[in-house]
Amino acid sequence: MPNSSFARETAEAPDTPFDVSLRPPVFSEFSGQAKVRERLELMVEAARQRGDVLDHILLSGPPGLGKTTLAYIVAHAMGVNVKSTSGPMIEKAGDLAGLLTTIERGDILFIDEIHRLQPAIEEYLYPAMEDYKLDIIIDQGPNARSVRLNLPKFTLLGATTRAGMISSPLRSRFGMTSRLDYYSIDELGRILERSAGLLGIDLESDGALEVARRSRGTPRVANNLLKWVRDYAQVKAFLSISRDVADSALTMLDIDSDGFDEMDKRIVEALIVKFNGGPVGVNSLAVAVGEDAGTLEDVHEPYLIMQGYLKRTAQGRVAMPRAYQKLNLAPPPRRVDAELFPEG
């Protein structure tokens, strides 16, 4: 069976011109994440009233929820530029110095996957965040010398899919830390209707809700599904995208009514059939389905846990009642207990 995962390919793919073209440029056009958006708007307004630079911000949450989009919205609201990079790309202090010495006062340094910064790079980042100074060691051995660079006051905006892997010293230097959660179907429906308007697609409201229902609570997935549904409707000569058209298009893509792709189905099936419902470690589960353990934890598990299909325990992953219902199976007698399968 091929290792097929629409969710993984969408979440891990770099931003394309299609993705960038659909990003809302201002807070008023950004749907969902009401609490996070309100906090950011307040911070921006306060900084602008003082004529000051925005404090450092850390955004966490599963991929595709809008962390990068919010970084650019914040920059637009502050009237500053964004320097964008990712944790794995900063391999040595010189890479960090090259980024920081080219920014101007108030600019935003956006570091995606900031939890993947090397510890040595983090050490260089601390004085840059606190004192806006950067100490660089030049040469090695007896010729080694330290050079201090004065930096303009800037804002570091970090994004991560694994907040727990960020060290405490780094986390404590952010003025605000917020987590982005999955979107509701109505919020995704509004996002899809906006995207359809930008793309010139005739999307009916029930068609938008059908796509939203299968989008795993993630705008990036929703917009990619919309692109597929548009192509389907074009080739099949449908003038507008109704619920039935969206259903046919997504069924052809093997995205079921619960938003499951092929890999989600394999995970639930392996957990129940191969491991008798668990508990099982993530590494063993990853081997059983032919997927990377990190991808399981970052892309698939959060959605499956949120929807009540599996549960993380100290002993490992355990299938929940809804997972058995998904496969039309009855839970084994030994798993019927008050914690996992409450009465009723």
Side-chain angles (χ1 to χ4, degrees), residues 10 12 29 50 53 55 63 65 72 90 98 102 126 156 169 177-178 231 254 264 266 268 291 294 299 306 312:
T10 302
E12 296 181 350
E29 293 185 24
R50 295 193 307 268
V53 173
D55 204 352
L65 298 188
Y72 280 89
I90 306 176
T102 57
Y126 298 156
L156 175 63
T177 300
S178 289
D231 293 346
D254 287 332
D264 295 312
R266 292 174 65 182
V268 171
E291 183 60 279
V299 178
M306 180 190 73
R312 286 177 182 166

Side-chain angles (χ1 to χ4, degrees), residues 174-191:
F174 287 98
M176 188 189 82
T177 300
S178 289
R179 176 177 174 80
L180 276 64
D181 292 318
Y182 288 107
Y183 291 64
S184 70
I185 292 175
D186 288 338
E187 289 169 343
L188 286 175
R190 290 195 294 271
I191 291 172

Side-chain angles (χ1 to χ4, degrees), residues 290-334:
E291 183 60 279
D292 176 70
T295 300
L296 249 64
E297 289 186 301
D298 289 346
V299 178
H300 297 280
E301 274 195 351
Y303 178 74
L304 295 176
I305 291 172
M306 180 190 73
Q307 295 296 320
Y309 290 99
L310 63 86
K311 176 181 179 180
R312 286 177 182 166
T313 69
Q315 292 76 33
R317 277 62 178 170
V318 176
M320 297 296 285
R322 195 172 181 188
Y324 288 90
Q325 295 169 7
K326 180 74 177 175
L327 299 183
N328 295 317
L329 297 173
R334 71 176 187 84

